[in-house]
Amino acid sequence: MSRPGPEFHVISLFPEMFSPASLCGVTGKAVERGLVGLTAYQLRDFTGGSIHPVDDSPYGGGPGMLMKPEPVFAAVEQVSSTAPPGVSVLLTPQGRRFGQKAAARLADEKRVLLFCGRYEGVDERIRPLFDEELSIGDYVLSGGELAALVIIDAVTRLVPGALGSDESTSHESFSDGRLEYPQYTRPAVFRGEAVPDVLLSGNHAEIERWRREQSERRTRARRPDLVAGDRSGGVGRGEEPGDD
Ligand code: ADE
């Protein structure tokens, strides 16, 4: 029987960074239950046996080292040939912005191959090897590993059965292009701050309406780029720039 979520295949110079994701929290439980797969490969294992470098200096000069194409091609081709069909993703700060929509799309794949770039960059000729390039935000990490972990987490929690109840992701922030409404638990009054009356009213229609309003108000105040018609950095209702 096929699993409900993707097999993640990660290629990295630091595959040990992925062990905690296989062992802890939502991703760990999902791996344990067979809802998703997670295998991390050492890029150096694809250098052809002897100790070949995985990086080299850039033609034309300039600072830093680049990842060489040969081990990257060998690793991606070998891993893709044994894994089920799916998408291969290069993680770089130059990629399209990863967001909730991309997470939902990847959750439907059978296999997601994530290649973690390191050093100052990659040889340009590796780019066509990948179906897409993704970035998790406009900042530069030391490598793609943390970005891969972010993606694995965001995708896994959308796989049916990965969270306690299927409801859990349906109301949260970004699921409908809005931020989530404010939530409260006991006590009803804490340090003089009372829970809004409507939430204690038992009137479910009123509660729904209040939550919708709060969600819209909060989105407008904190993330105007997510609101329809606003072009101050967003690309329209429910979309993040570059997230598709
Ligand atoms: N590698 C380095 N920075 C990154 C980023 N912001 N997103 C994805 N991969 C990266």
Side-chain angles (χ1 to χ4, degrees), residues 7-186:
E7 281 182 15
F8 295 103
H9 293 267
V10 189
I11 303 169
S12 161
L13 288 168
F14 300 97
E16 60 277 13
M17 284 179 73
F18 296 86
S19 305
S22 306
L23 297 170
C24 309
V26 168
T27 52
K29 276 257 169 334
V31 170
E32 187 186 303
R33 294 193 199 130
L35 303 176
V36 300
L38 176 50
T39 312
Y41 306 83
Q42 169 57 261
L43 179 66
R44 293 186 200 281
D45 291 344
F46 298 88
T47 51
S50 52
I51 308 166
H52 291 296
V54 291
D55 61 324
D56 208 339
S57 49
Y59 278 117
M65 303 286 270
L66 303 180
M67 285 183 123
K68 288 167 68 63
E70 302 94 318
V72 179
F73 268 77
V76 172
E77 285 172 353
Q78 191 171 318
V79 170
S80 310
S81 70
T82 52
V87 291
S88 49
V89 178
L90 173 63
L91 296 159
T92 81
Q94 298 183 22
R96 286 174 70 77
R97 178 85 63 83
F98 175 76
Q100 199 64 28
K101 280 186 171 183
R105 177 168 57 75
L106 295 180
D108 285 336
E109 294 287 346
K110 290 250 164 298
R111 179 265 288 169
V112 177
L113 185 153
L114 299 166
F115 184 87
C116 306
R118 273 264 149 183
Y119 300 113
E120 275 70 22
V122 294
D123 185 292
E124 191 63 24
R125 291 166 292 183
I126 78 162
R127 293 207 140 89
L129 188 55
F130 297 93
D131 298 310
E132 55 188 301
E133 279 183 47
L134 290 176
S135 161
I136 60 162
D138 290 343
Y139 40 81
V140 180
L141 300 163
S142 320
E145 284 76 10
L146 290 173
L149 286 164
V150 165
I151 290 174
I152 290 167
D153 188 278
V155 171
T156 298
R157 58 200 304 294
L158 297 179
V159 172
L163 298 181
S165 95
D166 271 354
E167 264 251 284
S168 308
T169 61
S170 64
H171 281 91
E172 63 190 11
S173 293
F174 307 114
S175 57
D176 63 352
R178 295 282 181 275
L179 301 184
E180 194 178 18
Y181 46 79
Q183 303 241 58
Y184 299 85
T185 184
R186 272 177 279 274

